[in-house]
Every structure is written in structure tokens, then in C-alpha cells.
Amino acid sequence: MKLLLLFVPLLVTAAELSFNRDIRPILSDQCFYCHGPDPANRKAGLRLDDEKAAKAALKNGHIALVPGDAAGSTVVNRIEHSSKALRMPPAYAGREALPAKDIEKIRRWIEQGAKYESHWAFIPPVAQGGATIDSLVRQRLEREGLQPSPEADRATLLRRLSFDLTGLPPTPAELDAFLGDRSPKAYEKQVDRLLASPRYAERMAWRWLEAARYADTNGYQSDGVRDMYRWRDWVIDAFATNKPFDQFTVEQIAGDLLPNATLEQKMATAFHRNHRTSAEGGIVPEEFRTEYVADRAETTATVFLGLTMGCARCHDHKYDPITQRDFYSMFAFFNNIPEKGLVYNWGNDEPLMKAPTLEQRIQLAELDAKLAAARRAVAKAEPKWKRQQEQWAKPANWFPDEDLAYENKLPDSSFDGKRVVTEKPGTVVFDYLTPFTFSTWVKPAEKNGAILSIAEDFAEGNGHGLYLIDGKVRLHVVFRWTDIGMRLETEQPIELNQWQHIVATYDGSRYAKGVQIYVNGKPQAIKVLFDELNWPMNFKYPLRIGSGNAMGFRGAIEDVRVYKRSLSREEVITLWDRAPFSERSTPEKIQLAYRALTKPPELLAERKIREERDAYWKTLPTLMVMQEGPKQQAHLLKRGAYDAPGDAVEASTPSALPPLPPDAPRNRLGLARWLVSKENPLLARVTVNRFWQMLFGVGLVKTVEDFGSQGELPPNQELLDLLAVSFVNSGWDVKQLIRQIVLSDTYRQSSKLTPALLQRDPENRLFARAPRYRLAPEMIRDNALAVSGLLVERVGGPSVKPYQPAGLWQELGGGGGYPQDHGEALYRRSLYTFWKRTVAPPSMTNFDSPNRETCTVRETRTNTPLQALNLMNDVTYLEAARKLAERLIRESKPTVDDRIALAYRITLSRTATARELQLIRSAYSRAQARYTKSPAEADHFLSQGESPLPRKISRPELAAWTNVASILLNLDETITRQ
């Protein structure tokens, strides 16, 4: 009797329907589009995603959901209605009637009280006390009447672990060490070894690059190059040092806003500068700037919240409680970045920073120390120079008729990088940073305008012009007259009908902020009229002043005109007109002339070191980063159109989630800290779900990008929440999370699929076995390089261009050809392969890599004939097969069976079966006979790739073993994670 009393409640509980598990998926799939969160699309005033609205009386007096009364509920009446005109979902919309089982679920749920629940993903995760990965998986399997699979054999286990943690196969030596280690912690030691490997960080970085839409080009039609590899290096280092994931998140969203931000923290913000940008003529810059900001909002929501927030860009979300105002409130966090919609197409664009490596920083520090010492020597020599100048400046030592054309280097240890003209009128202009300066003296006679200066390059379609218009000095810097250039003018007019000294400088930054106009040595406030220059202005000639300005030369040193011949930071050529010494007698001018003509050794030494330091500075890599600009009011954009602003919005988090704390800054730093706070129920879940996907091929929530109503309800939410909670409690320790998963019995199961499992759980959503799936694209290529001995394992650095089909860029992407690299660059890991968005690496896209035009977090796998053709014909794999053949000949005994045995250990981490030995022997014999008979065919087969051929191996023999190696590299097992 006691047993019965205990058992009855269990039966009742089992019969209880859950809104989140049983009902929400039906409503979301069939009803929410017309009766969900979006008021603009809502029909009949009925809202079923909100409990209060669903149970309220409609305008016709009917009630959609009457708790406990299915027959009296309008929802039931309409989904069961016999009339196609009245039945829901509507037949006129091409929708089928609900399945009987779903109708029955809804009836039972209403009879049970129609209890709503908050969406599961918006409820903070809670872990069961004492639960483990294995206990929760077993509980779920027991409810389904299933048992877990036995542990995989040791060779398979190490191979699986090696690919999962490093993206590369185990070597025969590593396999032998593991098989020979019979200690209880043998497997655990392998886990720790692989987690400590530099290969681990590279493997982890690949998926993050896809989420961050990292590429080496801008995207869109012209798709010019950019240089962001220093951020990729930062990501690799973050995983290698096991940077806590909350810190990893904050630094990428708002590292520049952290107090006393370091170089690395600023570099981290390049995460949100990886988006596509456009340099195409004719675009509307503000339209594309808006696209860039929207991309950041959508990427942030996808990567850190697992929400399809982009669906609310044009209207309220039709399935989730995300309003259009929510989208633009998130948009507002990223709206103040000082970037332009039209960008420079052949390099990095503002805002950017120098991003030297550690070695480069050490070198720079050494040069800075040398320069400081040289400047101290200059200061120490000042008294001596002063005495010598006094003698040198006596009239008896002066030659008034001498042509004083000279190269002048003005030492200035206090130069601030901005002050390019001294404020004292009449002194010589020395420009330390700008690509060019130009100056003129002008006496304006008319207010309406005058041409002051025109560059010689104008005849070639670009150049500059300095004008006087309505009394204001105007500068034009033009690459293409139609749409690429900039126009600026002084805010205040200059004094008319008197001589004025006008100088304009430009630093080549492609931005109006790089321009300064000086009148009589004083910088002028500038009004920007047009600022769309996106091309470097490298003039072929020194800038010249028109002949009409010759009257400016009055024979005094104040009239010196200064030109820049090139981008050299130091080269300044000054031309002096002959004039009586009496007009050049100020101490400052004498000092300048003395130093230019006598060239004191201390100055020459300082100049040499400064030039060396400056030349080195120019070689340092740059990185596009985030930066806060002036506040720019964000607006809700009607239908998402950039030119249709609606209500003003302030930066805020989605209304369905916990709000920002009252004291949190309303900027990216406030957002970043909110993302990693315990109040946010999504970040930990979303993150551990992607790591689970990385190890199992599919997430605990299959829709890794969508934790909303349209996303999958996790079959084992308890397991997801356990991992999320333990991840946060560990201090967001990524390596500990990965270790926790791969040490579990669940991970270590065999992947053998039995008929029973195929019938009951074909997609392995219950994890009764280990998954079996094709390796990721980068692993397939890296595996071939690794087993062949070609792989170059150097961490970090610029992207490389390995083999690619000839003419592909020209055919598909326009522009110039593909400048293939040579030497070691051909054999770097795929992580470092140059990624052109419009023509992504074909060996990657053939195996389902995304093109990285947008954020991608879900892994996809297909099987197509093109993949087999790739493996059998691509130069990479043919060369790898040849080098693998060389290994077999070089590293094994000279018998066919021994070489086959080694080939299997290298490529498959196991021994060959008797049947396999027989087949491969036969294949080798046929190939040897063929190539012996046709040496020319052997030579052609072995000519693939740039690695040198061995001299002491006969070509027919090498070709035969290359054929064997190619067969093994093409096996399904070779490219499959078991």
C-alpha cells in the first residue's frame, strides 16, 4: 500500500505538461507569427506569447485560453474547426492543420490549468547538487530505456582527443606512449598534455575567428585587403594563457574603456572591427556606417546572448520578446565609433593603432633609449655650439651671395606630433610628420576668391588646391573629383588687403582631421565641408606654388617656402633666395643656418638614430580597433532604413532580460560588464553550448545561434545548466570546462551506432554514444600536412597564401591575381591562410567553411563529390601524399608490409587488418608496374608542389608509394572524427 501511495504522485507528475517543453514549441512554430510579440503583425488582437493577454477577453467577448476548460477555449475551437476558412492555422495561407498529437497536448495543457512559464533560457541556470555530466546523461537515458555505450578503444580515444583539442592527429610516438602507459591516470595525462600544447590555442582560435567574422579583406565587390592578424595573435594568446572568459569578453567589447587600458586590451577590441566595409564609389557613406553599427549589435547578440536580435531591426521580433526599440538600444552602444561608411580599400582604416609584437616592442624600446642618449648629447653640446655660432655669425665670415639651398633637420625633443608650425609669425615651417606641406604669401585683392596654389598632379586626376573664397582659406585634397576627396575651409575669414602667410599641412591619414591650416603661423579653426577621401595621396612631385605668387618672395628668411618631396618623415628641402645678411640676423635664424651648414656631429648622430627609429616605426603592424568618438544620438530607424530616423533611443539592454545596474556606464564597458554578470542568464549557457558543439559536433541546444522561442529546447537542460554554473563558479576557466567534458565517460564512449540507437536516437541527442562526423575543413588540410611532415608549426604572424587554383580570384572576385607564397608559407596551419571574403579559400569552402561575411557560430557539414575531387586532385594533398611516401620509404623497413603498417599508424593511428594489407599490396603492385612502364607519367605525378624531390629514391617507386599514400589520405576514416 505504501508503494502505491508513493507511486501515484509520480504518475501524476509524469503526466504534467510543461509549457516550455511541450506547448511553447507548438505555439512558436504555428501561432506566434500572427499571434506573438510583434503588434504590427498581430491578428484579431490575440497574443498567445503572453499569459495575461492570452487569458483576457477578446473584442468579441471570447477567451482564447480558459484554464481548466478546453472546450470553452477559443484556441481549441479554432484549431479543431472543420471549416478550412475558420480553422487555425489558416488554410488560405497554405498552412496544414495541426497534427492530432499537438492538438491533444494543447487540450490537456488547458485542462491542467494552462500554466505559462518564462522562457527557459531567460531563467538563471541552477545546477543540481552533486550532479555530474555522466549522472545527468544516464538519468536521461534511463527515462528512454537506453544504456550508454562502452568506452572506445585507446587508439581511437587518443586520436579523437588529439583532433578535438589540437586539431591535429597524434604521432606514432604519442600513440605508443599512451598505449604503453597502464597507470590509472594515463588518459588524464594525455588530456593535460594536449591542453598545454600551443596547438590547443590555435585550434580554439579557429571557431572564434568564424564567430568574429575575421578575414583579410574588406568584403563587398572591390574587397580590398586589410591587416588584422595581430588580433588573431591576441586570440591565440588568450586561449594559450587561459584568459578567463569573462575577461576575454569584456576586453573584446570594451578593452579600450578599461581604466589604464593596456596595449593588449586595446588590441582586443578589434573583435568588432572585423565586419565587412565598403570602399565602392557611389555608395551613401551614412548608409554603410549604419550597416557597420547594426552588424556589431547583431554579432554581440549572436555570440554572447544566443539571440536572433537582427530580426528586430525592421520591426518587433515575431517570436521572441525583443522589440525594435531593444535592437536600437543595443545599436546605441556601438554608435559613437569614429569610423566612416566609405573606407580605404587597401589597408587598415581609422580608428587604428600600432600593434607591435613583444619582440618589436623590445626593439623599439632599445631605439628609444639610443635616441634619448643622442638627445642628451645634443643638449650637452649646446654651449659649445653657441660659442661657435657667435664667431660664425660675424659679418666678416658671411658670404651674402652664397646660394643657401640645404637640407635642414630641426631637432625638437618636445615635439608633440601635432604642432607643425611655430606660432611666431615669420619663422621657417618645419614639418616632421606630414607627407607634404605647401605655403604661400598672398595679398587678397578681391573677396570673392582667388587660386592660391595648385598641385602639378591635377592633370592626372588628383591633387590639391588652396583657394581664397569669400575671404576664407579653402583646401581641396582630391583623389577623384566625383566623390573621393575632402574639402575644408577656415571658419573665419582672413584680413583682406594686407600680406598674409598661409600654410596648409596634411598628414596623409585620409581624414580631414589630418589637415591643419595656418595663417601667419597660427592654427585656424576649420570647418569640414566634405570628408570622403579613401585613397593615399602619394604625390609624384613636390607640391608647387603657382607663378602668380612669386611676389611673395621679398628676400627675407620669413619668406622661405617649405616642401616635402616624399613621405619621408625627416626630409625637408628649404630654398633660400639670396638676400643681404642684415635681413637674416635674428639669433634663431643664425642658429638654424649654422647647424644646417656646419652639421655638428652630435646632431648628425641624433638624426641618424631618429631616422632609424622612424623607419622602424613605419614597419610596425597596425590594427583597426574600437574607440569612443563624440556622442551621436541613436534613433529607432523606421523599417531599418538609415535615412528614416524615428524616436531617439539610449543605450540599453533588451527589456526581456535584467536591466543594466543603475550605476553602470551607458557605454560599451557597461554593456560588457552586464554580459558577464550573474544577472545575465544567457552568456554562460550560450558559451558552454558552443564548446559542447565543438566536441560533440552539435550543441546541447542544436540551434547554437538561437536560444529563443524558435530555437531548440535542450533535450537535457539540466546538463546545460550544470556546465553553465560550473563554468562561472570556476572563474570562467575555459580549459577546466574542456577538461571536465573530455574526462567524462560520456565523451569517452564508443561511436559505434547500433540498430537500436539508430531507431531511437538517430541524431544522438541523448548522447548514448560518441558522435561520428567528418573533420572540420581546417583539420582535413592540417592533418594531411602533419602526417606528411610538411606542417610548419610556427605560432602567429601575418596571413599566408598557399596553393589555390589558378585564376580563381580573377574569375570570381575581379581585380588582380592571387600572389601565391612560397617556401614555409605554403605549409602553415590553415588558421593562417589568407581569407578573401568574396573568394574564400576553396579548400575550406568545399568542406563547409562559412565565407565570414557575417558572424557564424553553428557548424555545418555536408558530403559532396566536390570534396572527393578536392582530396584527390588538389596540389596540397598530392604533395602531402608524396612527402608521406618519402616518410614511409625513409622511416620503415624496406618491405611492402612494413611500409603499409607504418602508413596506417601515421594516418589512422591503428594497425591495418589482413584484408586491408591485401588491398594495399595490390594497389602498390599495380602502381609500381604502371610507373615503371611509364617514367614520364611518374615524373608528372610527382611534380605537384614546390617541395624538393629526394635524389636517392627511384621515381617509379616513389610514385607507387605516393599513390598508396593518396589512397589513405582519401579514406573516409582519415577525414572522420570517430
Side-chain angles (χ1 to χ4, degrees):
M1 188 64 171
K2 290 181 179 179
L3 288 174
L4 180 61
L5 289 174
L6 289 171
F7 188 61
V8 169
L10 289 176
L11 285 176
V12 173
T13 302
E16 285 283 342
L17 291 173
S18 163
F19 177 74
N20 276 335
R21 184 187 66 237
D22 303 304
I23 306 303
R24 187 190 293 273
I26 301 172
L27 299 182
S28 180
D29 187 50
Q30 300 289 347
C31 308
F32 282 0
Y33 187 85
C34 297
H35 303 293
D38 183 7
N41 208 53
R42 196 175 299 141
K43 304 296 190 295
L46 174 59
R47 181 174 184 179
L48 292 175
D49 66 304
D50 179 79
E51 180 174 13
K52 183 177 179 181
K55 295 177 179 178
L58 299 170
K59 290 182 179 179
N60 59 11
H62 296 167
I63 298 177
L65 297 176
V66 181
D69 183 6
S73 299
T74 300
V75 163
V76 174
N77 296 335
R78 295 299 293 273
I79 63 178
E80 292 183 334
H81 210 289
S82 58
S83 169
K84 288 186 177 182
L86 297 176
R87 182 257 296 165
M88 289 289 156
Y92 58 78
R95 307 284 294 280
E96 296 292 333
L98 288 182
K101 64 177 182 178
D102 288 348
I103 295 175
E104 180 57 26
K105 281 184 181 180
I106 292 173
R107 290 183 62 91
R108 285 174 52 208
W109 171 67
I110 295 174
E111 292 293 347
Q112 292 173 1
K115 297 176 183 177
Y116 274 68
E117 297 170 316
S118 297
H119 183 52
W120 71 269
F122 296 166
I123 303 171
V126 177
Q128 293 183 13
T132 65
I133 293 174
D134 295 325
S135 68
L136 293 175
V137 169
R138 289 193 189 101
Q139 287 176 19
R140 187 74 173 86
L141 291 176
E142 287 172 3
R143 291 201 298 269
E144 300 294 331
L146 297 173
Q147 293 292 324
S149 298
E151 184 169 300
D153 66 84
R154 295 188 114 205
T156 298
L157 200 54
L158 182 63
R159 184 173 176 82
R160 175 193 303 171
L161 188 69
S162 295
F163 275 116
D164 282 351
L165 298 191
T166 69
L168 293 169
T171 65
E174 291 167 346
L175 181 61
D176 289 342
F178 179 50
L179 296 179
D181 185 352
R182 291 298 168 183
S183 67
K185 293 193 174 183
Y187 175 75
E188 187 175 349
K189 286 190 287 185
Q190 293 300 315
V191 171
D192 292 337
R193 175 182 66 82
L194 294 169
L195 287 174
S197 167
R199 296 172 165 185
Y200 159 81
E202 292 177 311
R203 186 269 188 272
M204 299 294 286
W206 181 277
R207 291 291 163 263
W208 194 254
L209 298 191
E210 290 183 339
R213 65 271 194 249
Y214 173 90
D216 296 291
T217 61
N218 292 333
Y220 294 104
Q221 181 179 356
S222 50
D223 204 15
V225 298
R226 60 171 56 165
D227 195 1
M228 299 289 281
Y229 78 89
R230 288 292 292 128
W231 177 76
R232 179 176 59 200
D233 290 349
W234 180 89
V235 172
I236 295 169
D237 184 69
F239 281 115
T241 57
N242 201 28
K243 186 185 287 289
F245 195 81
D246 59 340
Q247 186 179 343
F248 182 74
T249 298
V250 169
E251 291 181 4
Q252 290 183 91
I253 297 293
D256 59 309
L257 300 179
L258 290 169
N260 303 312
T262 65
L263 175 70
E264 285 75 15
Q265 288 170 333
K266 294 175 183 177
M267 285 170 55
T269 65
F271 171 83
H272 264 322
R273 295 299 305 285
N274 283 312
H275 58 84
R276 290 191 302 164
T277 53
S278 178
E280 297 173 32
I283 69 168
V284 179
E286 178 59 18
E287 178 181 10
F288 279 81
R289 189 199 72 84
T290 301
E291 288 295 322
Y292 308 158
V293 179
D295 174 271
R296 294 189 184 106
E298 293 174 26
T299 297
T300 300
T302 299
V303 174
F304 300 106
L305 297 174
L307 296 178
T308 55
M309 189 170 284
C311 295
R313 182 176 176 181
C314 302
H315 48 71
D316 289 352
H317 204 295
K318 298 190 183 303
Y319 300 101
D320 292 326
I322 301 172
T323 65
Q324 191 181 14
R325 179 173 289 275
D326 286 334
F327 177 84
Y328 287 101
S329 294
M330 181 71 79
F331 177 101
F333 284 112
F334 304 103
N335 196 43
N336 301 328
I337 311 305
E339 67 177 342
K340 298 168 65 177
L342 180 67
V343 304
Y344 174 51
N345 200 40
W346 301 107
N348 292 345
D349 214 332
E350 295 280 0
L352 52 79
M353 62 178 286
K354 288 287 188 180
T357 64
L358 178 60
E359 293 77 11
Q360 289 170 332
R361 275 177 267 179
I362 292 172
Q363 177 68 20
L364 195 63
E366 292 175 354
L367 289 171
D368 285 340
K370 289 171 63 177
L371 182 59
R375 284 175 171 166
R376 287 194 295 270
V378 169
K380 186 176 180 181
E382 284 284 354
K384 177 182 68 174
W385 296 345
K386 185 176 181 180
R387 292 191 299 271
Q388 293 172 345
Q389 285 166 200
E390 289 173 354
Q391 293 298 315
W392 180 85
K394 290 180 179 179
N397 297 327
W398 188 260
F399 302 95
D401 293 331
E402 183 176 0
D403 186 350
L404 297 179
Y406 65 86
E407 292 186 61
N408 185 29
K409 308 299 175 184
L410 179 64
D412 187 352
S413 59
S414 63
F415 182 64
D416 61 10
K418 297 179 181 178
R419 183 166 162 248
V420 292
V421 177
T422 56
E423 291 184 0
K424 182 180 179 181
T427 58
V428 180
V429 176
F430 288 95
D431 175 21
Y432 271 68
L433 286 180
T434 64
F436 57 82
T437 62
F438 43 95
S439 65
T440 186
W441 284 81
V442 61
K443 184 178 181 180
E446 301 292 338
K447 185 178 181 181
N448 62 349
I451 297 177
L452 308 184
S453 174
I454 295 180
E456 244 178 62
D457 294 43
F458 262 23
E460 301 186 15
N462 57 24
H464 81 272
L466 191 62
Y467 307 89
L468 188 68
I469 299 177
D470 291 334
K472 298 178 181 179
V473 178
R474 178 179 292 186
L475 174 67
H476 289 193
V477 178
V478 180
F479 174 74
R480 185 170 68 201
W481 279 107
T482 53
D483 59 348
I484 301 179
M486 55 187 172
R487 298 190 301 273
L488 314 95
E489 68 179 16
T490 55
E491 289 188 354
Q492 301 299 324
I494 64 175
E495 293 290 332
L496 299 179
N497 298 311
Q498 59 180 296
W499 288 106
Q500 304 281 359
H501 184 210
I502 298 172
V503 175
T505 63
Y506 168 54
D507 66 4
S509 65
R510 307 186 305 275
Y511 287 94
K513 68 179 183 181
V515 170
Q516 183 60 66
I517 298 174
Y518 299 85
V519 176
N520 293 330
K522 295 182 180 180
Q524 302 297 298
I526 294 177
K527 179 181 180 181
V528 178
L529 305 175
F530 184 75
D531 186 13
E532 294 300 338
L533 185 67
N534 74 333
W535 206 265
M537 297 297 289
N538 297 326
F539 290 89
K540 295 181 179 179
Y541 314 104
L543 297 176
R544 300 173 182 269
I545 303 299
S547 59
N549 296 316
M551 57 185 176
F553 277 96
R554 294 181 298 164
I557 197 168
E558 289 91 341
D559 304 324
V560 168
R561 289 181 281 183
V562 184
Y563 305 96
K564 275 284 197 170
R565 289 186 180 277
S566 68
L567 289 175
S568 168
R569 184 180 177 203
E570 293 303 329
E571 185 183 32
V572 178
I573 305 300
T574 53
L575 304 175
W576 288 13
D577 192 34
R578 295 184 180 91
F581 177 73
S582 60
E583 296 186 27
R584 311 177 184 232
S585 59
T586 65
E588 181 181 20
K589 297 163 191 172
I590 292 173
Q591 182 187 60
L592 294 175
Y594 166 76
R595 295 185 182 185
L597 296 175
T598 61
K599 296 182 174 62
E602 295 87 351
L603 273 182
L604 293 177
E606 189 267 353
R607 169 186 169 181
K608 181 179 179 181
I609 296 171
R610 179 152 36 90
E611 289 176 343
E612 180 185 359
R613 195 266 187 197
D614 294 342
Y616 187 71
W617 177 259
K618 290 179 182 178
T619 67
L620 300 179
T622 63
L623 189 60
M624 298 192 297
V625 293
M626 298 290 276
Q627 187 183 96
E628 282 295 281
K631 180 176 174 57
Q632 185 164 328
Q633 180 64 57
H635 293 266
L636 185 151
L637 301 180
K638 299 172 184 176
R639 300 191 65 80
Y642 77 97
D643 57 353
D647 294 342
V649 296
E650 297 300 325
S652 185
T653 54
S655 55
L657 295 171
L660 281 173
D663 58 344
R666 298 277 166 165
N667 58 18
R668 286 180 286 113
L669 184 57
L671 172 66
R673 287 174 171 162
W674 173 84
L675 286 172
V676 301
S677 68
K678 290 186 177 180
E679 286 70 31
N680 176 15
L682 286 167
L683 178 61
R685 279 192 179 116
V686 167
T687 303
V688 300
N689 189 58
R690 284 206 304 273
F691 286 136
W692 187 275
Q693 173 188 243
M694 184 187 82
L695 297 170
F696 284 83
V698 63
L700 289 163
V701 177
K702 183 192 300 184
T703 53
V704 293
E705 76 287 356
D706 187 2
F707 273 51
S709 295
Q710 288 289 96
E712 183 193 47
L713 182 71
N716 199 328
Q717 185 183 337
E718 295 83 0
L719 175 55
L720 177 66
D721 287 356
L722 170 72
L723 293 173
V725 171
S726 63
F727 185 42
V728 175
N729 291 342
S730 72
W732 301 85
D733 188 325
V734 175
K735 282 190 177 181
Q736 181 171 317
L737 173 67
I738 300 298
R739 192 174 189 274
Q740 178 184 3
I741 296 173
V742 300
L743 285 176
S744 68
D745 293 340
T746 302
Y747 175 84
R748 295 159 70 171
Q749 294 177 103
S750 166
S751 62
K752 183 178 179 181
L753 179 60
T754 65
L757 287 178
L758 179 60
Q759 182 180 13
R760 295 289 301 282
D761 187 18
E763 294 186 358
N764 196 32
R765 305 300 290 123
L766 302 176
F767 307 107
R769 59 181 174 88
R772 183 182 186 275
Y773 51 84
R774 197 204 65 221
L775 290 174
E778 73 279 6
M779 294 184 191
I780 294 173
R781 177 178 176 272
D782 293 350
N783 174 63
L785 294 177
V787 299
S788 67
L790 283 169
L791 185 66
V792 174
E793 297 196 61
R794 179 165 54 84
V795 177
S799 295
V800 295
K801 297 184 178 72
Y803 305 117
Q804 178 173 292
L808 192 63
W809 277 16
Q810 294 95 319
E811 183 177 350
L812 298 179
Y818 178 78
Q820 180 194 296
D821 284 327
H822 305 282
E824 287 190 350
L826 296 172
Y827 314 115
R828 298 288 306 280
R829 288 193 73 167
S830 300
L831 178 70
Y832 305 109
T833 295
F834 187 92
W835 203 281
K836 185 177 179 70
R837 291 187 210 258
T838 54
V839 193
S843 62
M844 298 293 108
T845 55
N846 281 350
F847 291 93
D848 306 308
S849 272
N851 59 19
R852 301 193 183 174
E853 292 187 355
T854 58
C855 162
T856 305
V857 292
R858 196 200 292 210
E859 298 181 31
T860 59
R861 290 176 177 83
T862 62
N863 289 287
T864 70
L866 193 59
Q867 295 167 355
L869 291 171
N870 198 150
L871 293 177
M872 289 189 290
N873 295 282
D874 190 288
V875 176
T876 295
Y877 297 101
L878 292 176
E879 183 179 25
R882 171 165 62 83
K883 299 304 288 186
L884 176 56
E886 292 177 26
R887 281 192 68 184
L888 301 181
I889 295 171
R890 186 176 61 249
E891 298 179 13
S892 71
K893 296 178 182 179
T895 68
V896 172
D897 282 5
D898 283 333
R899 288 175 179 171
I900 295 174
L902 178 60
Y904 268 78
R905 282 172 52 74
I906 291 174
T907 58
L908 298 175
S909 306
R910 65 173 178 84
T911 57
T913 65
R915 175 61 174 159
E916 288 168 335
L917 277 172
Q918 179 185 357
L919 291 171
I920 298 299
R921 277 196 217 106
S922 177
Y924 170 75
S925 297
R926 290 194 303 272
Q928 186 185 46
R930 173 183 177 183
Y931 293 123
T932 300
K933 183 178 179 180
S934 179
E937 190 176 351
D939 289 342
H940 177 71
F941 185 40
L942 298 174
S943 67
Q944 305 300 313
E946 297 187 2
S947 58
L949 283 165
R951 296 180 179 179
K952 297 183 180 180
I953 304 176
S954 75
R955 298 301 171 83
E957 180 185 16
L958 181 58
W961 282 111
T962 299
N963 188 72
V964 168
S966 181
I967 291 172
L968 294 181
L969 290 178
N970 275 273
L971 290 177
D972 174 73
E973 185 180 347
T974 306
I975 63 170
T976 300
R977 186 265 199 198
Q978 299 281 1

